[in-house]
Structure formats: C-alpha cells, structure tokens
Amino acid sequence: MTELNKRQRALEEKYFLDFERAIRVRDRRNRILAEWAAQAIGRADTSAYVDEVIKAAQAEPGDDDVLLKVLGDLQAASVSVDEAKLREKMRAFLFVAAEQLEAEE
C-alpha cells in the first residue's frame, strides 16, 4: 500500500469515527433533553417520554423534529419557554453530552 493510500485510509477512518461520535453525542443530548423536559412538564413516566423524543429524532435528520416535539409538549403543559430558549438548552445539553461521553471513554 502506498503512503498516499495509507493517508487516505487514515482520513476515512477518522471521518467515520468523528461521524459516529457526533451521532452518539446527539443521541445522548436528546436523552438528557427529554429527561429535563419530562421533569419540567411533570411526566412521571420519564423513560416513556425519552422514547417519544427519540422517535421524534429518528423521523428526519436534524434537530427540528426534536425541538418541535419538546417545545410543543412544554407549551401544552404551560411551561414558559420559547424556541430560542429551548435551542439554548439543547446547545448546553450538547456540551454536557460530549463531556459525559468523553469521561466514559
């Protein structure tokens, strides 16, 4: 194998590892968000709500489905939150999730 092929293969492996890690961080973030939202809306069945949010996350790529699901549930429960505040919370939980995964590795 030539040096160029080795470098290309190493870059491909790094790309896939980074992609997998990003998926794991986003999944963890969604779980943390769902647990927080379940508590905020007073859901006793936290694990069921986490499953609902995970299903919403799998509907389409990106964060919009999760955002709309959680925002709708919070507003239906009369929790005072707007889209911008929820996006901030999601961003903060993304860092928490990344730190948790890094600590586990």
Side-chain angles (χ1 to χ4, degrees):
M1 188 177 274
T2 67
E3 187 63 30
L4 182 60
N5 287 345
K6 288 180 186 177
R7 286 183 36 206
Q8 182 179 2
R9 184 159 188 112
L11 285 173
E12 287 174 355
E13 288 176 15
K14 182 184 179 332
Y15 171 80
F16 287 117
L17 289 174
D18 289 347
F19 184 72
E20 285 177 6
R21 186 177 187 333
I23 290 171
R24 288 195 323 267
V25 168
R26 181 161 284 150
D27 288 346
R28 174 77 59 102
R29 188 269 326 261
N30 290 343
R31 288 182 180 282
I32 294 169
L33 176 69
E35 290 168 357
W36 169 81
Q39 184 179 17
I41 61 178
R43 291 271 306 246
D45 56 343
T46 302
S47 62
Y49 188 71
V50 169
D51 290 342
E52 289 176 27
V53 171
I54 289 171
K55 285 180 186 172
Q58 294 170 348
E60 287 186 27
D63 293 334
D64 289 342
D65 290 337
V66 171
L67 176 83
L68 293 174
K69 162 77 175 137
V70 173
L71 183 62
D73 293 344
L74 289 169
Q75 289 175 341
S78 300
V79 175
S80 178
V81 66
D82 63 8
E83 184 177 333
K85 287 181 183 178
L86 187 55
R87 283 190 189 277
E88 268 183 49
K89 188 63 93 171
M90 290 173 72
R91 196 171 305 116
F93 286 148
L94 191 66
F95 289 112
V96 170
E99 289 174 346
Q100 286 180 357
L101 285 173
E102 193 170 310
E104 291 173 6
E105 292 174 350

